[in-house]
Amino acid sequence: MPAPAPYCYSHPHPAVTTDIAVFTIRDEALQLLLIRRGRPPFEGAWALPGGFLDIDEDLDACATRELAEETGVRDIYLEQLRTFGAIGRDPRERVVSVAYLALAPATNLCLQAGDDAAEARWFRLDALPELAFDHAEIIATAHRRLVAKLDYSTIAFQLLPETFTLGELQRVYETLVDAEIDKRNFRKWALALEQIEATGETRRRGSHRPARLYRLTDRERVTYLK
């Protein structure tokens, strides 16, 4: 009797993909990384980077691989966001997608489209093009999660350079929530976190008085905090 074929099942089962929402701040605006699809379905449309899970691959590895292959972005922290599995979300077959969320300084990222992505580009979150699949829903969910976590995590610190002023830190938060924040209360809150320390140096911006520079006390401790 021949041995049974591997990975054969008596019932239909869906394919699995990962999709990655990478946010950054460029030109003082919250922006999102998108790729222009080079193949059907939705050929020529903009979408989140991502792709199908290999049979011998775990989810985190798939997300990391697809992001690197389609955009050239590597070595950033990815956090699982949510699973999206509505019937009909992909015209090819039944597909369940595990979405990921990431933040990174734009200066650290060099985009290079590859694999089945014809182009990779940053878009302002408030001026996104028409999107393929259900990626508009994934992006909206990712942004809500990002804003919700600002109050209890150090997620926004992912967007900071090595040294920064408290004013620059505040502008990051204001950009993420799209609202002004009281200066005195914000600085009191930021210093109480004990996640930053003064470098002893200052930086002048325009005609304003020099501002103190800060750095993270331990960059490895800056996490998304579930």
Side-chain angles (χ1 to χ4, degrees), residues 13-85:
H13 54 283
V16 178
T17 62
T18 59
D19 291 301
I20 307 97
V22 181
F23 293 95
T24 195
I25 293 178
R26 301 174 75 245
D27 302 324
E28 299 186 351
L30 185 60
Q31 301 202 17
L32 180 75
L33 179 57
L34 297 177
I35 58 103
R36 187 163 57 83
R37 291 181 56 80
R39 301 175 187 171
F42 301 104
E43 183 175 2
W46 292 94
L48 293 170
F52 285 93
L53 178 75
D54 289 338
I55 197 66
D56 58 351
E57 185 178 41
D58 68 33
L59 286 166
D60 291 356
C62 176
T64 299
R65 174 182 57 79
E66 288 288 348
L67 183 62
E69 289 178 352
E70 294 192 337
T71 71
V73 172
R74 294 174 170 81
D75 301 323
I76 63 172
Y77 176 80
L78 302 178
E79 174 188 318
Q80 279 194 26
L81 172 65
R82 208 187 88 186
T83 300
F84 294 80

Side-chain angles (χ1 to χ4, degrees), residues 170-181:
Q170 181 172 340
R171 282 191 291 276
V172 166
Y173 274 80
E174 289 177 333
T175 301
L176 293 176
V177 301
D178 193 24
E180 292 187 4
I181 300 174

Side-chain angles (χ1 to χ4, degrees), residues 12 29 39 53 65 71 76 86 89 109 111 143 165 167 169 193 196 198 211 221:
R39 301 175 187 171
L53 178 75
R65 174 182 57 79
T71 71
I76 63 172
R89 62 178 301 276
L109 305 179
L111 302 186
H143 185 232
T165 67
L169 176 60
L193 288 176
I196 61 176
R221 288 177 56 204

Side-chain angles (χ1 to χ4, degrees), residues 1 38 40 42 48 55 84 95 110 119 125 129 131 153 186 221:
M1 175 180 287
F42 301 104
L48 293 170
I55 197 66
F84 294 80
V95 177
C110 181
E119 185 179 356
L125 188 65
L131 296 162
S153 78
F186 177 83
R221 288 177 56 204

